[in-house]
Structure formats: structure tokens, C-alpha cells
Amino acid sequence: MAESIIKMEGGVIRQQKNTILKNVNIDIASGEFVYLIGKVGSGKSSFLKTLYAELPLEYGKAEVAGFQLKKIKKSQVPLLRRKCGIVFQDFKLLIDRNVYENLEFVLKATGWKNKKAIKERIETVLTKVGMSDKQTKMPHQLSGGEQQRIVLARALLNAPPLILADEPTGNIDPETSYQLVELLKEICDTGKTIIIATHQYDLIEKFPGRVFCCEHGELYEKTPAKACECTDEVLPLPPVEEIIPDPSSEAGMIETQNTEEVPEDTTTVNRETETVAATEVTSQTTDLTETPEQTEAETEDKKTAEDSAEDIMTLIGKLDYPEITAFDYELDHLPEIKPEDQEVAAQETSTTTEVQEELPEKKEKQNLPPALDVELID
């Protein structure tokens, strides 16, 4: 039997003083293909972060790739992560350098110094994921599926025995996700341990493996391995029962039982009915006593009220526009000018125009220079 690469007993996973998972007992052997499923916020990512020491294990015992998580030191965390290839959902590629430089940066950061060995290793992992012709491409020049393959190649650089994929198919289409998981399955067949956190439950049927479910603060194995029942699917509504009318009844409808309760004090009810009847009779009598003159007066009052309302609305509408002012509105309501007044106004305007024509002549005469006296000059 293969040795255990992940083993946890009584583990309690917490994040910011909030308990995410409790009483976690899990044992995963080397070379296993494992799915981690559950609703959003159920603790899948927190569990993976605990495995590569991103979150500390406060309670319980856990061993990952030979490292005790409870006793691990900060100086040992990089050594643990070299044995854990991590595939992120959002890629986390360096956008200011090409594919080759991205992978070269990781190798140099983990202690590689020989340029020839670095080049051979990069070509090996890119060939394994089918991206050997993309070395000089920038991340923005690649599709989502191609970027995810580059991220997988980056995870394989140091030949880790354990690969943790956190929602690797979240940002790619279903067909590309099948190709990616098929590639992960091939890598698993070489003896690597693969753990995939996913919401794409059809992968479980296409590429079978062990299934662990995060639900209600617990982590347990699904046996037999199948999709989790805690999906986010909307349940169908129950069928509505049709009511068939009873042909024996007169109107073809189902008779309803009389569920009205008899009031205790019948006298008050009788008084209320009497008052209602009296008011109805008085209203009818008042309607009958109305004369045609009163109705005509009421209609005229309504018309005047409507006209005044229209005048107010037109005034408000004109004031809303800057080109029409209140002064323009007042001009519309000036008294009408009679024909006699129009003639007087025309005469006044003609006289004013004549005066205005004479004024320039006077001004020109005033502006002329004084005449010279010839006799005085002689």
C-alpha cells in the first residue's frame, strides 16, 4: 500500500478567528486522484491553504509531504511549497514578461542557477502541457485555457509529488476544462497526487476519483464517489393540482362551506345595518332632489376649475424653459387692442420715425466745424 502524503486527525481549520472546518480526519495516499467539492464558502480553499501552510493549523495533527503542520517553522514553509504544485483559478502570471520568463523567474526563486538546466526544464514542462510553441508569448496574448496550461506547467517545474488545484476550470470553457483535467489525470498516472477543488460536477463522472465534500463545517468522503447533493441548483416547484368543477352543481363550481361565525351581540349588528340603510336612503333622496340647474352649475364649476388648472400648468411649463419668461406670459394676457387704437398707434409710430429721421441731420449739423469769416482773414 502506498504511503500517505496527506494525513490529518481532529484538524480544526480557522480563518480570522472563524472556524471553517472542524474535526477533519482525512488520509490520502500518494498517487491518488481526489476531488474536493461543496458550496461557495464551505471551506474548500481554506483546506487547501492549510495544506501548503498559508493558514496555520491551530488544533489537531496534520502531516503533508513529510512536514508536520503543527510544528512547521517559517524557514521550512518554502521547502513544503516546493513539494506542492499550486494551480490557482486566477492564473497569477506576471504580466510584464513572457511565458519563458515567467517560468524562469520561479526556478531562480527556488534556487536554480544553471541556465542550461533551467532552459531544459522549461522546455520539458511546456511540452508536457502542449505549450512548447508559446515561450515568447505574453500572458495577454494567450486564451484562458492556454494561460491555465502555463500555470500547470509552472506547478510542475520542481517535479512536486503533490498538486493542489483550486478551481482550475473556473475561468475556462467546459471543453477546455475536460482537456485540462485529462492532462491532470495523465500526470496522476505518473505517481503524482492530484487534489482538485471544483464546482464542475460532471468531471467526476468523466474522470473518476475519490470525492470529499465540505458541508456544514465538516469534511467527509462521499461513498460511493458521486456529485455532492449540496449543489446550488434550483429545485422545481411542486405540481399544481387542478380543481375539476362538479357538474352536479348549478354553476359548475365547488360549493364552499359556510365558515362565517355568528356574532355574539346581534343588537349591535342590527343597529349598524339600520344606520347603513338610512344613509343609503338619504343619499338616494338627495340625488333625487337635485335640479337640472344645480347640475349645470356644477358642470360649469368643474370646467372653470379645469381651465384654471390648465392655465397654471401652462404657466409652469413656460417658466421651466429659460427662453420664456414671466414677462412673456404677462404679454399674452394683455387686453385686446381695438381698430381705433391701432390707427392711433400707427400715427404715433409714424411721427416717431420722422423725428428719428430728423435727429441725424441735426447731429450732423452740430458736428460740422464753424464757418470761417473771409472778411476777417483779409
Side-chain angles (χ1 to χ4, degrees):
M1 185 177 178
E3 296 181 357
S4 298
I5 191 170
I6 298 174
K7 190 173 183 180
M8 186 178 294
E9 296 178 358
V12 177
I13 296 172
R14 306 185 70 188
Q15 189 170 5
Q16 296 180 356
K17 297 182 180 181
N18 295 322
T19 301
I20 308 299
L21 295 171
K22 59 183 179 180
N23 196 23
V24 178
N25 298 290
I26 191 171
D27 191 350
I28 298 175
S30 298
E32 284 193 300
F33 195 75
V34 179
Y35 290 101
L36 189 63
I37 61 177
K39 292 182 179 180
V40 176
S42 59
K44 301 187 300 296
S45 298
S46 298
F47 176 71
L48 295 180
K49 289 179 180 180
T50 304
L51 295 182
Y52 59 85
E54 179 71 19
L55 291 176
L57 182 68
E58 297 184 4
Y59 302 98
K61 297 180 181 179
E63 183 179 351
V64 178
F67 291 88
Q68 297 290 333
L69 297 183
K70 188 71 174 177
K71 302 177 181 179
I72 193 170
K73 299 178 181 179
K74 290 184 178 180
S75 59
Q76 294 176 327
V77 172
L79 301 176
L80 168 64
R81 293 178 182 175
R82 289 184 190 180
K83 294 188 177 182
C84 299
I86 304 169
V87 180
F88 299 99
Q89 178 182 0
D90 54 352
F91 310 140
K92 296 188 184 298
L93 291 170
L94 302 174
I95 61 175
D96 61 341
R97 57 197 72 191
N98 59 28
V99 171
Y100 184 90
E101 292 169 345
N102 265 274
L103 302 182
E104 183 185 26
F105 175 80
V106 175
L107 289 176
K108 288 183 177 180
T110 53
W112 291 60
K113 296 180 180 179
N114 191 337
K115 291 184 179 181
K116 185 178 180 180
I118 290 173
K119 184 178 180 181
E120 290 178 356
R121 186 58 186 166
I122 292 174
E123 291 176 352
T124 300
V125 295
L126 287 177
T127 302
K128 184 172 286 189
V129 299
M131 293 282 109
S132 58
D133 58 339
K134 306 292 183 181
Q135 295 186 21
T136 58
K137 296 290 184 181
M138 299 295 287
H140 69 272
Q141 296 175 328
L142 303 174
S143 65
E146 289 173 340
Q147 290 188 54
Q148 193 62 279
R149 284 175 175 266
I150 299 301
V151 172
L152 180 56
R154 184 181 61 187
L156 296 172
L157 283 173
N158 288 306
L162 175 63
I163 293 178
L164 307 174
D166 190 4
E167 297 284 352
T169 62
N171 292 327
I172 56 180
D173 58 276
E175 186 62 30
T176 307
S177 65
Y178 293 149
Q179 298 174 4
L180 179 66
V181 176
E182 184 179 4
L183 181 58
L184 288 169
K185 189 72 173 177
E186 293 175 359
I187 295 171
C188 181
D189 293 338
T190 62
K192 309 293 184 183
T193 305
I194 310 293
I195 300 179
I196 304 175
T198 183
H199 282 110
Q200 195 172 344
Y201 297 127
D202 56 339
L203 298 174
I204 299 172
E205 298 178 358
K206 196 172 183 65
F207 307 99
R210 292 180 69 185
V211 179
F212 288 88
C213 181
C214 294
E215 187 179 14
H216 304 304
E218 295 182 356
L219 178 65
Y220 58 92
E221 186 174 2
K222 300 284 289 186
T223 52
K226 61 179 181 178
C228 187
E229 296 176 356
C230 58
T231 57
D232 297 332
E233 297 178 356
V234 179
L235 297 176
L237 294 174
V240 180
E241 296 181 358
E242 296 182 357
I243 299 174
I244 301 172
D246 187 4
S248 61
S249 61
E250 294 179 357
M253 300 296 290
I254 297 173
E255 296 181 357
T256 56
Q257 296 180 357
N258 188 8
T259 57
E260 294 180 358
E261 296 181 357
V262 179
E264 295 179 358
D265 191 1
T266 57
T267 57
T268 56
V269 175
N270 293 329
R271 288 176 183 174
E272 290 177 357
T273 53
E274 288 176 359
T275 53
V276 171
T279 52
E280 290 178 355
V281 170
T282 53
S283 63
Q284 291 177 359
T285 53
T286 53
D287 293 336
L288 293 172
T289 55
E290 288 179 355
T291 59
E293 296 178 356
Q294 291 178 354
T295 55
E296 289 178 0
E298 288 179 359
T299 53
E300 288 178 359
D301 293 337
K302 289 181 181 179
K303 287 181 180 180
T304 53
E306 290 175 358
D307 294 337
S308 61
E310 289 178 359
D311 292 338
I312 293 169
M313 293 305 296
T314 52
L315 173 60
I316 293 171
K318 289 183 177 181
L319 291 176
D320 286 341
Y321 295 93
E323 62 269 11
I324 300 175
T325 61
F327 179 72
D328 297 327
Y329 179 76
E330 291 174 359
L331 291 178
D332 294 340
H333 291 75
L334 290 175
E336 295 182 358
I337 301 173
K338 298 179 181 179
E340 299 176 357
D341 298 336
Q342 290 180 355
E343 292 178 359
V344 174
Q347 292 177 0
E348 290 178 356
T349 52
S350 63
T351 54
T352 52
T353 52
E354 290 176 358
V355 172
Q356 288 177 356
E357 289 177 356
E358 292 177 0
L359 288 173
E361 294 179 358
K362 291 180 181 180
K363 289 181 180 178
E364 289 177 357
K365 290 178 181 180
Q366 290 176 1
N367 293 329
L368 290 174
L372 298 174
D373 193 354
V374 181
E375 294 179 356
L376 293 173
I377 294 172
D378 293 337

